[in-house]
Amino acid sequence: EDQVTQSPEALRLQEGESSSLNCSYTVSGLRGLFWYRQDPGKGPEFLFTLYSAGEEKEKERLKATLTKKESFLHITAPKPEDSATYLCAALGGSTLGRLYFGRGTQLTVWP
Amino acid sequence: DTEVTQTPKHLVMGMTNKKSLKCEQHMGHRAMYWYKQKAKKPPELMFVYSYEKLSINESVPSRFSPECPNSSLLNLHLHALQPEDSALYLCASSQDDGTANSPLHFGNGTRLTVT
């Protein structure tokens, strides 16, 4: 079954405490792995796309990596404004245009 | 600010009402999407339009009727909804032809409450 699993469901970090979010996927024929950030009451905001194992992307305090089974979103020295839900989505399977979203990791960074 | 604009931001409707949600993008994207998101759940795909033609309908009940008048506009017509249809309805667009190979750009959604 094509699916995406994110862990942990929730993560609380102190400001400056680095950590990683995990996204495991079992989507056949992966064509892309996307990370989004979603603030309460808002739509998801695109962060990164990864297309092949070994690929890495960075943006400010965030770094995304991809292996053949999972992706990680590393957060270095987070700030309170990084608090949000981080969604991972895999593109693949038999239906073109269908993204398989994980349930997200709710990140809270406290001062 | 998001480049995909959705109106209204909030909508309350009764089960016998007819209403429409609107979405507009001016990025020249060729594909547009409707998603439904319940609280603390991931977005669920409803419809995909590619070059103004419906390419994917994820077995959505007929009380939801999508329309794509032109490449920049996407509507979702609502009729005889049920309370369980209450959710955040998200519109998105992408540069590809509806295959979602390029990133989706989401609007901020319409928060729908059915009473």
Side-chain angles (χ1 to χ4, degrees):
Chain A
E1 181 187 359
D2 295 319
Q3 65 179 11
V4 171
T5 304
Q6 290 188 246
S7 61
E9 289 187 14
L11 180 63
R12 286 178 55 87
L13 299 173
Q14 189 170 14
E15 184 171 4
E17 180 187 2
S18 301
S19 188
S20 294
L21 314 182
N22 177 264
C23 169
S24 299
Y25 61 91
T26 55
V27 173
S28 59
L30 184 77
R31 295 191 291 278
L33 191 293
F34 301 85
W35 282 97
Y36 290 88
R37 167 195 171 125
Q38 187 171 24
D39 293 298
K42 299 284 184 72
E45 175 190 350
F46 169 70
L47 293 173
F48 302 108
T49 308
L50 302 165
Y51 290 108
S52 57
E55 191 174 358
E56 298 182 352
K57 294 271 180 75
E58 284 189 70
K59 179 181 178 181
E60 296 180 353
R61 295 177 293 282
L62 300 177
K63 178 180 177 181
T65 61
L66 181 65
T67 72
K68 289 187 177 180
K69 293 184 178 180
E70 55 193 349
S71 178
F72 294 94
L73 185 65
H74 308 277
I75 303 177
T76 302
K79 298 182 177 182
E81 53 261 42
D82 295 322
S83 297
T85 294
Y86 290 84
L87 294 167
C88 158
L91 179 66
S94 57
T95 303
L96 291 177
R98 191 177 193 280
L99 283 172
Y100 294 86
F101 277 91
R103 296 173 68 98
T105 292
Q106 186 174 358
L107 173 67
T108 304
V109 182
W110 48 285
Chain B
D1 285 343
T2 179
E3 295 179 86
V4 177
T5 304
Q6 291 188 244
T7 56
K9 292 184 180 179
H10 301 275
L11 178 63
V12 179
M13 61 185 290
M15 289 189 285
T16 58
N17 291 158
K18 288 184 180 181
K19 297 286 185 183
S20 297
L21 309 185
K22 297 186 183 301
C23 175
E24 189 170 4
Q25 61 91 9
H26 292 290
M27 294 178 282
H29 287 174
R30 296 170 286 186
M32 297 186 78
Y33 308 74
W34 280 115
Y35 279 83
K36 171 182 177 179
Q37 187 177 27
K38 303 278 260 184
K40 299 195 181 297
K41 295 287 181 65
E44 298 175 21
L45 181 64
M46 299 175 72
F47 303 104
V48 180
Y49 273 84
S50 172
Y51 292 100
E52 302 166 40
K53 294 191 186 307
L54 184 65
S55 59
I56 295 178
N57 176 341
E58 289 282 270
S59 302
V60 178
S62 60
R63 56 185 185 271
F64 296 91
S65 175
E67 177 195 20
C68 190
N70 60 56
S71 59
S72 300
L73 293 175
L74 187 65
N75 298 322
L76 186 62
H77 303 297
L78 314 173
H79 173 56
L81 294 193
Q82 303 297 311
E84 57 265 31
D85 296 321
S86 299
L88 181 67
Y89 287 85
L90 293 164
C91 173
S93 67
S94 66
Q95 198 169 16
D96 54 71
D97 55 359
T99 54
N101 288 326
S102 52
L104 267 61
H105 294 259
F106 286 88
N108 281 328
T110 293
R111 174 70 63 189
L112 174 67
T113 303
V114 182
T115 60

